[in-house]
Amino acid sequence: MNRSHTRRRLHRPALGAVGALVLLGLAAGPAAAHAGVTASDPRALAENVTLTFSSEAESDTAGIAELRVVLPPGIAPDAVTLKEAPREWKLTATPDGYAIGGPPLATGTDAEYSVTVRRLPDAKSLAFKTLETYGDGKVSRWIEVPGNGEKVDNPAPVLELKAAAPGATPLPPSTSPSPSPTPSTSPSLQASASAAPVPVPSPSGRETSAEETGSGTGTVVGVVAAVLLLVAAGTFWWTRRARSGA
């Protein structure tokens, strides 16, 4: 009886420890794969900040090939430049953020890269919604933003920011100057311009072309010739009538 009672006392702590490990394992299971972000200067309005992203691989059949990130308000796509990434990966700006990718990584390899942001916005936290695309087409969506301390299944990378440094002010919005029009120097256009007839001013003030001027001159000459012909005919008729009367 005493031995049996002693064994029961020894087994209870062991069973409790095993149960605790199982519970910890279950609690850590859903969070095994995630995407995260850290900053070299996690303060609001900080300039030239390096953001480092890490996306854990969760596929057993293919590697990560692309990451699509939606930038939070206050960070424009043209304010982000690539600093470090896996070999042959490139960053491309999108209307609401950027995409970074290249040849798929080895299966089970986490995707890590860093970008430089010109200036962080004046905010308390920044969420970077991320889509992971694998070489076989599988997509993992880390786009949920937790609120009020609640937990979500697919949390987006969130960067908590400290207060801005004294005197820090937001950058003015960037404006790209409109390109000035480039004058055309096409030889064909220049040849056409040199061959065009020179306009001749008319008495009425309207510019008249050479063809119109020529046709007007011909009309005047014709009218004068007709008048002269009528005068000559009248003179001839008057002379003959005078002779007949005599």
Side-chain angles (χ1 to χ4, degrees), residues 168-224:
T169 56
L171 288 175
S174 61
T175 55
S176 301
S178 301
S180 57
T182 304
S184 174
T185 56
S186 172
S188 61
L189 292 179
Q190 292 179 348
S192 300
S194 62
V198 179
V200 179
S202 64
S204 61
R206 183 178 66 87
E207 292 185 354
T208 308
S209 63
E211 289 82 356
E212 292 176 338
T213 303
S215 62
T217 303
T219 302
V220 173
V221 172
V223 171
V224 172

Side-chain angles (χ1 to χ4, degrees), residues 34-39 49-55 67-76 80 96-98 113 115-117 119-121 125-132 141-146 154-161:
H34 67 277
V37 57
T38 59
V49 180
T50 298
L51 300 182
T52 301
F53 293 86
S54 177
S55 295
L67 300 173
R68 170 82 160 78
V69 177
V70 176
L71 291 171
I75 301 180
V80 178
D96 57 359
Y98 62 85
Y113 70 95
V115 296
T116 300
V117 178
R119 175 170 284 193
L120 298 180
S125 63
L126 303 174
F128 299 85
K129 298 181 179 181
T130 304
L131 299 181
E132 298 178 5
R141 304 174 183 273
W142 303 101
I143 59 176
E144 297 179 323
V145 180
N154 302 292
V158 176
L159 178 65
E160 301 293 338
L161 297 181

